[in-house]
Amino acid sequence: MLHTRFTELFGVERPIAQGGMMWVGRAELVSAVANAGGLGFITALTQPTPEALAREIARTREMTDKPFGVNLTILPSITPPPYAEYRRAIIESKVTIVETAGFKPQEHVDDLKRHGVKVIHKCTAVRHALSAERMGVDAVSIDGFECAGHPGEDDIPGLILIPAAADKIKIPMLASGGFADGRGLVAALALGADGINMGTRFCATKEAPIHDNFKNSLVEASELQTDLIFRSYRNSARVARNAISQEVLRLEGEGRPFSDVAHLVKGARGREGYLSGDTDHGIWSAGPVTGLIRDIPSVAELMDRIMREAEEIIGRRLARLTGQYASAA
Ligand SMILES: Cc1cc2nc3c(=O)[nH]c(=O)nc-3n(C[C@H](O)[C@H](O)[C@H](O)COP(=O)(O)O)c2cc1C
């Protein structure tokens, strides 16, 4: 058992979260994480309407009686989704935990807090974590440069970002980006975090609602098979390397504007790919942690293993180094 400020604050058994994941963060995965003692997040914008989100929340409740949350990601968009209506669906569905991510979530934080919802804000810089703390969030989740999805533009890896944040942040904090096993969990705790948040590793589980071709591709990929796209638009995204990500990089290298790549990267293509099994159909988020993914376990098997490894490392390997294991044994 590893009790941290994170497990205490959110009423879960294990210091492991499954962050919001476009197209992947649905009831099957979220309930599996909850049932295995972690904190899973339904991804609000994966649902086409706020009503569909309310139905997905209800569907998740049918699969678990443990706590889970909803992720609300606020990113620049040509036609912004109706955020306030999604937020309303979350509140009316009596969800008690929300992961916000992206730009300036103040209005969402204020309204969610007014309704007694606990908020964990995910960000990629110490200054953003401090501003979220000032906004009144309950916890932060910090994504290092290793993360899948949007790592920001500072390129500070977790090994530096997490302790730098831990030195300044007072509220509970999750380390995110590059975690897949018990070694990572212990490292995160040692760096000052209260637990870990994982994305890519949860995609390669039995319950992740995506085609097996994507899971197999995560197992086969080394740590070298991702691309950082959209850097020239200052909206960097870490995705699995495939025909589309390579084409986007080629076009960016020619100095082409976003409008020239938009048709390649639109969300619908990513979704169609996840369903059909064509890993070259669109872009899909994955981080270099692929180098540590070697199987497709159930979520419970994965989380049991992470906890077992972490407890073994703390209770034996590290204890032996300090001489405490020998005297305790
Ligand atoms: C397929 C996929 C989709 C993602 N979509 C979102 C999203 O919509 N909103 C968000 O806040 N984070 C998103 N993320 C980021 C994750 O929540 C998490 O922060 C990140 O994956 C951590 O890095 P890791 O993949 O190395 O574990 C996504 C990640 C993946 C792998």
Side-chain angles (χ1 to χ4, degrees):
M1 295 293 267
L2 282 175
H3 291 292
T4 69
R5 294 187 302 168
F6 169 81
T7 58
E8 205 171 296
L9 177 61
F10 294 109
V12 293
E13 289 155 35
R14 293 171 161 180
I16 301 175
Q18 166 255 309
M21 286 192 278
M22 202 59 188
W23 311 126
V24 188
R26 308 208 309 257
E28 291 76 12
L29 180 60
V30 174
S31 61
V33 173
N35 287 331
L39 182 58
F41 290 93
I42 296 173
T43 309
L45 300 183
T46 291
Q47 300 303 321
T49 60
E51 296 72 35
L53 173 61
R55 284 195 294 276
E56 191 69 3
I57 293 167
R59 206 162 75 82
T60 310
R61 285 220 176 93
E62 281 165 20
M63 299 185 206
T64 185
D65 54 8
K66 302 260 180 69
F68 64 88
V70 174
N71 162 286
L72 194 60
T73 304
I74 307 128
L75 287 176
S77 165
I78 302 160
T79 40
Y83 284 117
E85 289 171 38
Y86 276 97
R87 193 176 71 225
R88 179 94 359 242
I90 294 169
I91 291 168
E92 283 173 3
S93 298
K94 305 214 178 316
V95 167
T96 56
I97 308 169
V98 164
E99 179 194 56
T100 52
F103 292 103
K104 304 250 177 244
Q106 182 80 65
E107 120 191 40
H108 303 294
V109 173
D110 289 347
D111 195 30
L112 291 165
K113 297 292 305 169
R114 246 194 319 274
H115 289 88
V117 178
K118 287 186 181 135
V119 179
I120 177 163
H121 182 64
K122 191 166 60 191
C123 52
T124 57
V126 177
R127 62 188 182 284
H128 297 155
L130 282 167
S131 123
E133 190 176 52
R134 280 194 302 272
M135 258 177 227
V137 303
D138 300 274
V140 287
S141 186
I142 308 224
D143 260 326
F145 185 49
E146 305 88 334
C147 74
H150 290 275
E153 311 304 317
D154 293 346
D155 302 355
I156 308 297
L159 202 52
I160 294 155
L161 189 60
I162 303 307
D167 283 345
K168 300 217 166 125
I169 302 294
K170 294 187 191 66
I171 53 180
M173 179 181 92
L174 289 183
S176 180
F179 295 103
D181 56 28
R183 294 172 297 185
L185 173 55
V186 176
L189 297 174
L191 294 174
D194 299 283
I196 54 172
N197 178 58
M198 303 195 297
T200 308
R201 174 67 265 203
F202 277 123
C203 293
T205 58
K206 292 203 171 83
E207 292 90 343
I210 56 177
H211 197 284
D212 282 350
N213 289 357
F214 287 80
K215 304 181 188 182
N216 292 329
S217 155
L218 289 170
V219 172
E220 281 156 25
S222 79
E223 61 277 19
L224 300 175
Q225 273 133 334
T226 66
D227 279 324
L228 190 69
I229 60 172
F230 301 166
R231 172 110 306 179
S232 60
Y233 313 128
R234 291 198 60 76
N235 185 25
S236 297
R238 177 71 66 178
V239 297
R241 177 169 298 165
N242 67 5
I244 304 283
S245 68
Q246 291 280 291
E247 177 63 3
V248 170
L249 285 181
R250 193 183 67 73
L251 294 167
E252 283 193 75
E254 288 177 0
R256 303 281 200 94
F258 181 74
S259 52
D260 283 6
V261 304
H263 65 289
L264 294 170
V265 301
K266 60 181 183 205
R269 278 181 85 125
R271 181 169 159 272
E272 285 158 16
Y274 274 137
L275 294 175
S276 73
D278 181 357
T279 55
D280 279 315
H281 188 67
I283 51 163
W284 50 285
S285 298
V289 74
T290 44
L292 302 179
I293 297 176
R294 305 204 177 93
D295 61 358
I296 305 169
S298 70
V299 165
E301 281 161 358
L302 173 66
M303 289 181 47
D304 287 351
R305 189 201 298 167
I306 292 175
M307 294 306 293
R308 222 177 22 250
E309 274 175 14
E311 284 162 9
E312 216 276 328
I313 293 170
I314 296 168
R316 288 176 183 261
R317 203 163 96 74
L318 298 183
R320 204 176 288 130
L321 294 180
T322 61
Q324 286 179 18
Y325 178 62
S327 55

